[in-house]
Every structure is written in structure tokens, then in C-alpha cells.
Amino acid sequence: MSVLVTSTRSEPPPPAPRRTLGQRLGRWDTTISPYLYVSPFFIVFGIVGAFPLLYTAYVSLHEWNLIGGQGAFVGLDNYRNVLGQEYFWGSLRNTLSIFLLSSVPQVVFALLIAAALDADLRARTWWRMGVLVPYVIAPVAVALIFNDLFGDRYGLINQGLGALGFDPVHWHRDKLPSHLAIATMVNFRWTGYNALIFLAAMQAIPRDYYEAAAIDGAGRLRQFLSITIPSLRATIIFVVITSTIGGLQIFDEPRMFDQYGKGGADRQWQTLTLYLYDIGWGQKDFGMASAVAWLLFLLIVLIGILNFLLIRRIASKDSR
């Protein structure tokens, strides 16, 4: 009995077809084009953002004035000099006070206005455009208008208080009233802008949630607290961080609150940016001004991180 054995030899696979130049260019386009689309932003940011920031750090380590330019390397002496001045700490306290009086009510009122605009209102487009009008007005115009409102002698608010039998408020002399007046300007300009951001996020919430909650007997307030607020966690974090950055960098409103732009006779509403401006362009000491700028930058980063961690922790507790 014979067995026929055949040996089969495996044939090599056929060579892969060579890609044409057009196919290679098409693959490169798919791989590289997304980076090319976003590169203009990073290029411009590197030129007008990152480079000035790093250059400011370099300037803060030197004696530097407007006329003589770069001087000797002094290390951290500029930071020590700034931290040793009472005006710096006073400006820091004023900045934090105005920041709290503006940012916290701003976010709360923006949420309430957005909830009202999200309801079935007549002429909704008109109302939504109307809340953005204060943001379009120039900060100088806002400051001039509110200067008349908060005038010490002939201000409209003091005249109204006098008609009601109350004593006039010294808006430009006392610290807390001046902070309230400046915070009112900030809230007037930015509340509507933040309300539209919240409104856009609210409209992305599925309406089925509200219908199911209404069937279960939940009222408007319960729906707002249990559905709307938890669904806006990411947006609230974004608005809080942007409000923190803007609130700590406030400059236009306190500078235009009187005709001198120094932050008051006793610097009772001088902010860190006004203090920085006075050192840089008043005293012509760019080294110390750069040190103040970097201290302000670190303060913004620190408070931004704290806000982010706090809101994320609150959100995680609510999700449980």
C-alpha cells in the first residue's frame, strides 16, 4: 500500500501596491491637518501671551526702569520689596473684597436670569439680546454713568436716600461703600454675558428630564435645584474660573471711579492692577511692577485651583 505524499511550498504574498503621490498626500492631510488648523492659536498665544509672561519673569529679577532699561541682576529683591510694602497688602485686600462682592452675586444672578430666559417668554429673542447690552457698552462709559449714580453730594442714589430720610453714603471716601459701587459696575457689565453662557448650557439639557419630574410632582424650584444645577456643573466651573480671572484683574472700573485714577485719596479702593500701574508708569520701576504682575498671576492660579477643587467636590457629593 503506497501513500502519495505531496509537498506544497507556500507562495510569498503578493507585494503591496505602491501608494500614489495623491494617496500619500491624502493620508498626510488626515494626520497633519488637525494640528495645522489649531496651530495659529498656539502661535499667536506664544507670541502675545507666553513670551510676554516669561519675559516679565526675567524683568522681575532685574533693576529695570523706563529710561535706563535693564540694570543689575537683583534676584528676588523686587519680590521682597513688594511684599514688604503696606500698599501691596492694602491693594490685595481691596482686590479680594471687590472680587467677592462682584463674582459671587454675579454667578447667582446669572443663573437666575438664565433660568428666566429659558422659560416660555414672549419675545424671548429680544430679552436675550437685552441682557447682553451692558457687556457691549464701553467700560469708560459705564464708569462715568455710575459715577453720577454714586456721587457723594449730587449722586442719584444719595438723593433717593435723602428723600427717604436716610443719611448720604460717602461712596468715594469710605472703603466698603466704594467697593460696593465698583462691584456694582462689574456686575452690571458681566452678569448678562454669563447668563447667556448658562442659557446655552440649559438649552442642551434634555426636556424629558423636566417632563418626568413634572409627572412626579416636582415644582419649578425643585426641578431647578435637582436637574438644572447638577447638569450645569462643567459650565459653572468654567464661569467661576473666568470670573475669578476677570475679578482679580479688575482695572477699568476702579481707575475711572474718580478723576485721579489712584484708587482714592487713601487708596481705599486701589486694586493690585492699579498698584502695578502706579509702580510701572508712575514710579517707572518696571522690575517691581513685573514682580507685582507675577504675584498677581500666582494668586489667580491659586484661587482658580481652589475654586475648581471646591466646585468639583460639591458636585461629587451631589452625585452620590
Side-chain angles (χ1 to χ4, degrees):
M1 184 175 180
S2 61
V3 179
L4 181 62
V5 179
T6 59
S7 62
T8 59
R9 191 170 54 182
S10 60
E11 297 292 335
R18 296 185 60 185
R19 291 191 179 94
T20 63
L21 178 60
Q23 291 175 335
R24 290 198 296 269
L25 291 177
R27 183 178 179 182
W28 291 344
D29 177 69
T30 305
T31 306
I32 300 175
S33 59
Y35 300 98
L36 295 178
Y37 293 147
V38 300
S39 61
F41 166 78
F42 290 98
I43 293 173
V44 174
F45 173 76
I47 296 174
V48 304
F51 172 74
L53 183 65
L54 297 176
Y55 190 69
T56 301
Y58 175 77
V59 173
S60 68
L61 302 176
H62 294 79
E63 289 183 355
W64 206 296
N65 57 70
L66 181 62
I67 299 175
Q70 180 179 353
F73 176 80
V74 295
L76 299 178
D77 286 349
N78 286 326
Y79 293 90
R80 296 190 189 97
N81 293 334
V82 169
L83 295 175
Q85 293 189 6
E86 179 59 30
Y87 285 142
F88 169 79
W89 297 105
S91 300
L92 177 60
R93 289 191 293 268
N94 295 337
T95 301
L96 294 176
S97 174
I98 296 172
F99 161 69
L100 292 175
L101 291 172
S102 60
S103 296
V104 176
Q106 185 183 132
V107 175
V108 174
F109 287 130
L111 276 171
L112 297 177
I113 292 173
L117 293 176
D118 194 38
D120 294 330
L121 296 175
R122 293 183 178 180
R124 285 181 296 179
T125 303
W126 187 87
W127 290 108
R128 293 172 183 177
M129 292 176 59
V131 297
L132 195 61
V133 171
Y135 174 74
V136 181
I137 301 176
V140 175
V142 174
L144 292 175
I145 294 171
F146 277 83
N147 261 333
D148 291 336
L149 291 175
F150 292 102
D152 291 338
R153 297 183 60 186
Y154 305 107
L156 184 61
I157 294 179
N158 274 342
Q159 290 181 7
L161 292 175
L164 296 175
F166 295 98
D167 294 331
V169 179
H170 300 286
W171 300 104
H172 290 78
R173 190 184 70 183
D174 298 333
K175 178 172 289 189
L176 182 58
S178 63
H179 293 183
L180 287 172
I182 295 172
T184 303
M185 299 184 209
V186 178
N187 292 331
F188 173 77
R189 287 197 63 229
W190 290 98
T191 301
Y193 175 82
N194 291 327
L196 290 185
I197 295 177
F198 284 132
L199 176 63
M202 287 180 184
Q203 292 182 332
I205 302 174
R207 297 299 165 179
D208 298 341
Y209 296 166
Y210 296 100
E211 294 174 0
I215 293 174
D216 292 338
R220 293 294 301 272
L221 179 60
R222 186 62 181 174
Q223 294 177 21
F224 179 76
L225 296 176
S226 301
I227 298 176
T228 305
I229 297 297
S231 301
L232 296 179
R233 291 168 186 163
T235 308
I236 292 174
I237 291 174
F238 170 78
V239 171
V240 167
I241 292 177
T242 54
S243 299
T244 299
I245 296 173
L248 294 176
Q249 291 180 339
I250 182 174
F251 177 79
D252 295 327
E253 289 83 358
R255 177 165 174 78
M256 296 296 299
F257 193 54
D258 66 358
Q259 65 268 32
Y260 303 107
K262 297 289 187 179
D266 297 326
R267 306 198 182 194
Q268 59 268 31
W269 69 81
Q270 185 185 57
T271 60
L272 281 176
T273 51
L274 279 179
Y275 177 68
L276 186 156
Y277 182 84
D278 180 63
I279 291 178
W281 296 103
Q283 304 177 23
K284 306 296 188 295
D285 191 341
F286 283 6
M288 286 187 59
S290 300
V292 175
W294 259 89
L295 291 172
L296 177 59
F297 170 74
L298 296 177
L299 176 66
I300 292 173
V301 171
L302 177 61
I303 296 181
I305 292 174
L306 292 177
N307 282 335
F308 174 76
L309 294 177
L310 179 62
I311 295 175
R312 190 175 67 173
R313 184 172 182 179
I314 295 173
S316 62
K317 287 183 178 179
D318 293 339
S319 62
R320 293 173 190 169

